[in-house]
């Protein structure tokens, strides 16, 4: 995963040892952040099911707070970039330069990914509300494939049959770890038997057929949106990296995300519940930790997209599922299961396959102009 990051870079300075070190650091940070986030959420879920009378916190308030924190952190980093670029300027001059760079002529381009990421978050919300957790998690892995598809369509990258095989293996391996890691085998058998015998769905799946269909459509649309948005963001950032810094782009992204998060999520969707229970109902240290981890995670995702690419980012996210599985076996003494261990091995094989190149030609490079011509 990490060794291939060098060949994925496009639009960034030539990959020297320093560049490679930055890519590796970003991807390792994403693996650690994702793994810790999974465990914190696991802990918060177990904790909240322990009979507490507190209402569960509203996802829309958390989404808004994550955007506010990301905006604040990105502003600090963008201000730092500008002060390094203009060491002789005083504070008001630096503030004016920051304002000009954030609200530059092409800042409107970030409205598209901001709207799409908000749509993705809403679709995930619809999917989670209408599907059981396992179906959601497994189906959402399709985003690994949609990301590659959009990288081919929008960035003109190419991929070998071996890498396609690796991506299919990766998707299946992650699905296997999640299915068997979250369900016990008897529950799984009960569901399958019930469905095969036409005896209707067991109690855990008593959602109406339409609701399930709606949930499946939502998760498929979220996977499509995820692939499209992250590749669009990658193209936008890398095309203008020499003139607009990543952190300025992130300020623009978070700024435009605030509007749908506040108007659609907080006011329209949960306005009544917030008026009744309060904005911070159900908040505790674990919820704050989850929000902080998600905000920092967003910045790490931005770094990975810029200094490596989206495919490497997805590999790192998938690898973190294996790390969480191993960590949960060690820390929480979760028993190792054959399916999960097999799935973890398949993920590792996929990472190896994706990175082992039989030909000296680097993988996932943009097509050369001559190749584009010969294809038509
Ligand atoms: O599931 P997926 O990898 O598409 O999720 C990407 C997440 O990273 C989104 O929740 C998005 O808000 C976040 N992100 C971010 N800043 C960026 C790019 C993505 O916070 N520059």
């Amino acid at each position: 995963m990490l060794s291939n990051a060098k060949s994925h870079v496009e639009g960034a300075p030539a990959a020297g040892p320093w560049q490679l070190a930055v890519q590796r650091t970003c991807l390792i940070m994403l693996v650690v952040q994702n793994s810790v986030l999974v465990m914190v959420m696991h802990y918060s879920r177990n904790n909240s099911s322990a009979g507490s009378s507190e209402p569960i916190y509203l996802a829309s308030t958390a989404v808004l707070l994550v955007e506010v924190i990301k905006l604040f952190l990105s502003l600090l980093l963008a201000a730092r970039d500008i002060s390094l670029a203009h060491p002789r300027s005083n504070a008001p001059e630096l503030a004016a330069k920051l304002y000009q760079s954030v609200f530059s002529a092409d800042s409107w381009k970030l409205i598209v990914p901001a709207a799409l990421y908000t749509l993705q978050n809403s679709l995930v919300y619809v999917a989670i509300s209408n599907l059981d957790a396992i179906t959601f998690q497994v189906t959402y892995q399709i985003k690994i494939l949609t990301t590659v598809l959009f990288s081919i369509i929008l960035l003109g990258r190419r991929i070998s049959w071996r890498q396609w095989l690796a991506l299919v293996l990766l998707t299946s391996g992650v699905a296997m770890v999640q299915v068997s890691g979250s369900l016990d085998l008897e529950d799984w058998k009960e569901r399958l038997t019930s469905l095969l015998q036409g005896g209707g769905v067991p109690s855990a799946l008593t959602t109406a057929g339409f609701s399930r269909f709606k949930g499946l459509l939502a998760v498929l649309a979220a996977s499509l949106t995820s692939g499209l948005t992250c590749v669009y963001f990658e193209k936008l950032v890398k095309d203008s990296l020499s003139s607009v810094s990543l952190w300025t782009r992130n300020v623009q992204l978070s700024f435009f995300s605030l509007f749908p998060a506040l108007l659609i999520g907080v006011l329209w969707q949960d306005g009544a519940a917030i008026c009744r229970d309060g904005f911070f109902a159900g908040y505790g240290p674990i919820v704050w930790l989850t929000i902080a981890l998600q905000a920092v995670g967003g910045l790490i995702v931005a770094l990975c997209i810029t200094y490596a690419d989206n495919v490497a980012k997805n590999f790192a996210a998938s690898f973190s599922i294996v790390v969480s599985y191993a960590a949960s076996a060690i820390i929480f003494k979760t028993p190792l299961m054959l399916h999960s261990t097999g799935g973890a091995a398949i993920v590792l094989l996929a990472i190896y396959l994706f990175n082992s190149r039989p030909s000296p030609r680097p993988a996932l490079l943009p097509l050369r102009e001559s190749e584009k011509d010969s294809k038509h």
Side-chain angles (χ1 to χ4, degrees):
M1 170 180 67
L2 304 178
S3 63
N4 200 43
K6 182 164 82 174
S7 64
H8 287 177
V9 172
E10 182 192 343
W18 165 245
Q19 178 81 26
L20 197 55
V22 173
Q23 291 164 10
R24 285 182 173 164
T25 310
C26 299
L27 293 168
I28 289 169
M29 283 194 311
L30 187 63
V31 171
V32 174
Q33 180 270 344
N34 258 323
S35 312
V36 176
L37 183 63
V38 168
M39 281 187 282
V40 168
M41 282 181 151
H42 173 87
Y43 178 79
S44 78
R45 256 205 319 271
N46 282 359
N47 223 28
S48 64
S49 64
S52 151
S53 60
E54 271 276 295
I56 295 172
Y57 71 99
L58 293 165
S60 62
T61 60
V63 168
L64 179 66
L65 289 173
V66 168
E67 289 307 329
V68 171
I69 296 172
K70 277 194 300 192
L71 177 62
F72 178 71
L73 294 177
S74 304
L75 261 175
L76 282 182
L77 291 161
R80 183 184 147 274
D81 281 351
I82 287 182
S83 69
L84 287 177
H86 304 277
R88 287 160 193 265
S89 302
N90 57 28
E93 284 167 351
L94 289 176
K97 284 187 200 313
L98 182 61
Y99 180 86
Q100 280 161 10
S101 81
V102 170
F103 295 104
S104 57
D106 76 342
S107 62
W108 62 269
K109 288 184 182 168
L110 271 293
I111 293 175
V112 178
L116 285 175
Y117 271 136
T118 310
L119 175 68
Q120 183 184 333
N121 288 343
S122 311
L123 286 167
V124 165
Y125 178 82
V126 174
I128 286 176
S129 312
N130 290 282
L131 291 174
D132 57 286
I134 302 310
T135 311
F136 167 74
Q137 282 180 324
V138 171
T139 323
Y140 202 31
Q141 299 313 314
I142 294 173
K143 71 179 180 177
I144 296 172
L145 301 177
T146 58
T147 301
V148 175
L149 267 182
F150 282 110
S151 295
I152 292 169
I153 296 168
L154 296 180
L155 303 178
R157 288 175 175 168
R158 57 178 223 163
I159 185 165
S160 67
W161 67 267
R162 178 191 273 258
Q163 289 178 315
W164 272 119
L165 176 66
L167 288 162
V168 172
L169 283 176
L170 181 73
T171 315
S172 326
V174 172
M176 271 174 75
V177 176
Q178 288 181 328
V179 165
S180 41
S182 320
L183 263 186
D184 72 48
L185 217 55
E186 285 310 311
D187 189 10
W188 210 206
K189 270 190 212 159
E190 188 201 335
R191 288 168 185 232
L192 274 179
T193 314
S194 173
L195 285 172
L196 290 174
Q197 288 173 350
V201 287
S203 55
L205 286 175
T206 47
T207 45
F210 174 71
S211 172
R212 194 176 162 75
F213 181 66
K214 189 171 146 192
L216 276 175
L217 274 187
V219 74
L220 288 176
S223 304
L224 210 65
T225 318
S226 168
L228 173 63
T229 316
C230 60
V231 172
Y232 178 94
F233 183 78
E234 183 183 343
K235 185 168 169 48
L236 195 73
V237 169
K238 288 181 175 172
D239 281 354
S240 58
L241 202 54
S242 54
S243 53
V244 187
S245 85
L246 166 66
W247 301 121
T248 299
R249 289 298 188 203
N250 250 50
V251 172
Q252 295 168 337
L253 184 68
S254 290
F255 177 76
F256 288 120
S257 300
L258 286 181
F259 296 97
L262 178 68
L263 299 176
I264 301 176
V266 171
L267 296 179
W268 184 61
Q269 189 180 296
D270 289 329
I274 290 170
C275 283
R276 193 184 56 236
D277 302 325
F279 188 92
F280 294 108
Y283 273 66
I286 293 294
V287 177
W288 282 111
L289 184 60
T290 307
I291 287 172
L293 280 171
Q294 281 175 332
V296 172
L299 301 190
I300 298 175
V301 165
L303 280 171
C304 289
I305 292 177
T306 308
Y307 294 105
D309 67 26
N310 274 300
V311 178
K313 177 211 82 179
N314 279 346
F315 266 86
S318 302
F319 185 60
S320 70
I321 292 169
V322 173
V323 172
S324 308
Y325 172 63
S328 129
I330 295 165
I331 299 169
F332 300 118
K333 307 275 180 254
T334 314
L336 289 174
M337 293 175 75
L338 194 62
H339 290 73
S340 301
T341 313
I346 290 175
V347 169
L348 296 178
L349 174 68
I351 292 171
Y352 169 76
L353 258 185
F354 195 87
N355 290 289
S356 62
R357 291 189 291 270
S359 76
R361 168 95 188 239
L364 268 174
L365 279 178
L367 282 178
R368 285 192 199 127
E369 284 310 311
S370 57
E371 286 171 328
K372 278 185 190 164
D373 293 343
S374 65
K375 284 193 95 186
H376 296 299

